[in-house]
Amino acid sequence: MQHGPAVRRRKLGEELRALRDRSGLTSGEAARMVGWHQSKISRIETGRSGAKPADIRLLLDAYGDVVSTQQRALLEALGASAAGSGAGDAARGRQWWHDYRGLLPQEYRDFISLEAGARAARTVELSVVPGLLQTPGYARAVTRAALGGLPEPKVDALVDVRLARQSVLRADPPLQLSAVLDEAVLRRQIGGPGVMEEQLRHLMEVALLPQVRLQVLPFSVGGHLGLTGPFVIFSFPSIADLDVVVLDHLTSSLYLERKEDLDAYSAAFRTIQAHALPPQDSSDLISSIADDA
């Protein structure tokens, strides 16, 4: 279990080492070609240190034809994320969340950077609507409840961040989101009846988007694997074995990237999804609850 940038550094190192091997170069030969000491190559490939985008470009130039254009862009984005700067730098444009560095803890910025660079996200939620699907009113109510006593300007800024994150669903290509919500998420009165009705009707609208698959796990299912806690699985394009599971705790987030963990959480998501209502039935249930709100 590691924090975001550490996971990214290790993955970046693995990919760069694989490309160097494919190019037929030793670490010493690669170091001489780019004018470095061999120890720098070693530190990068083992994930002990990150690499600036300019350093990554030097290495990829040295490795030549084994590197595709798409791999180059993604590895540079991964390098930015490994340094805590944000995945998706090359893939999704300006790192807007840097404007909020004084407000957002590093772990939240790490999460946003992973979300911005991901191809797909699979999430299970037990208590609240996922941030990518929240309305402004609901986001404000959740923020106030979770961070009681926060000055109103900071609440406003955090809501702005929550809404800005949703741009990944409108990107080109958009993030592919599969979300399973426990029925409790729909019935918990956050912000009052008016806020909840608006939020529920918004869920019905976003569920129609081709990049969103929304399902509800009804109370009738009883006990299920998701009761162990909410989680998100991020998947990334083109770079092999780059999925990450994110677990949120009260004071921190944990990032799991071992194959055994990824396999376990992927299997858990498939099981939970199989027990959930199909998308149309889920929308019908959301509509019914909204009518009663």
Side-chain angles (χ1 to χ4, degrees):
M1 294 182 289
Q2 305 176 63
H3 295 296
V7 173
R8 307 291 88 184
R9 283 196 301 271
R10 196 174 79 80
K11 289 296 185 183
L12 174 65
E14 290 176 354
E15 294 296 326
L16 289 173
R17 184 171 62 250
L19 288 172
R20 176 177 58 76
D21 288 341
R22 203 178 307 159
S23 73
L25 295 171
T26 66
S27 59
E29 290 169 339
R32 285 192 294 274
M33 289 181 69
V34 298
W36 297 349
H37 192 280
Q38 184 176 355
S39 62
K40 182 172 181 177
I41 296 277
S42 177
R43 289 195 304 271
I44 291 173
E45 290 186 349
T46 56
R48 293 198 301 272
S49 66
K52 298 176 182 177
D55 291 340
I56 295 172
R57 285 192 289 271
L58 275 176
L59 289 173
L60 298 182
D61 287 344
Y63 300 157
D65 294 339
V66 301
V67 186
S68 69
T69 301
Q70 188 175 29
Q71 278 181 311
R72 179 180 291 271
L74 289 166
L75 285 170
E76 289 177 12
L78 182 57
S81 175
S85 301
D89 186 19
R92 299 208 186 253
R94 183 173 176 271
Q95 300 163 10
W96 57 264
W97 53 91
H98 280 191
D99 294 340
Y100 296 89
R101 278 177 293 185
L103 175 69
L104 305 178
Q106 181 65 55
E107 288 180 353
Y108 192 16
R109 299 202 305 272
D110 291 344
F111 181 88
I112 294 172
S113 74
L114 291 174
E115 185 177 73
R119 171 185 57 82
R122 290 165 284 170
T123 184
V124 173
E125 282 289 353
L126 306 178
S127 302
V128 297
V129 172
L132 294 180
L133 304 179
Q134 292 179 6
T135 63
Y138 187 94
R140 185 174 301 279
V142 167
T143 301
R144 284 175 175 159
L147 301 169
L150 203 63
E152 202 61 22
K154 288 192 174 181
V155 173
D156 292 341
L158 288 171
V159 172
D160 288 344
V161 169
R162 187 68 54 90
L163 299 179
R165 283 174 46 201
Q166 298 175 5
S167 65
V168 297
L169 293 176
R170 301 185 297 275
D172 184 19
L175 178 76
Q176 300 295 312
L177 176 65
S178 296
V180 179
L181 312 185
D182 191 274
E183 186 175 340
V185 172
L186 310 178
R187 297 191 180 277
R188 180 168 287 105
Q189 288 291 312
I190 292 178
V195 168
M196 278 307 301
E197 182 180 3
E198 180 185 39
Q199 176 62 74
L200 292 172
R201 299 204 181 282
H202 178 67
L203 286 178
M204 293 163 58
E205 292 175 6
V206 295
L208 298 175
L209 296 174
Q211 64 268 35
V212 175
R213 180 182 177 86
L214 181 62
Q215 294 177 256
V216 175
L217 200 61
F219 286 149
S220 59
V221 168
H224 56 82
L225 276 173
L227 294 176
T228 57
F231 61 88
V232 182
I233 307 172
F234 287 122
S235 299
F236 297 83
S238 296
I239 304 179
D241 192 27
L242 199 60
D243 289 9
V244 178
V245 178
V246 184
L247 308 178
D248 268 339
H249 295 269
L250 182 62
T251 58
S252 65
S253 296
L254 295 175
Y255 296 76
L256 312 179
E257 46 84 37
R258 294 187 312 161
K259 185 178 186 303
E260 308 93 281
D261 295 322
L262 292 167
D263 288 346
Y265 276 90
S266 294
F269 185 82
R270 289 193 297 271
T271 299
I272 294 167
Q273 195 174 47
H275 283 93
L277 296 173
Q280 184 57 58
D281 291 346
S282 295
S283 290
D284 291 343
L285 177 58
I286 294 170
S287 176
S288 173
I289 296 173
D291 289 343
D292 295 337

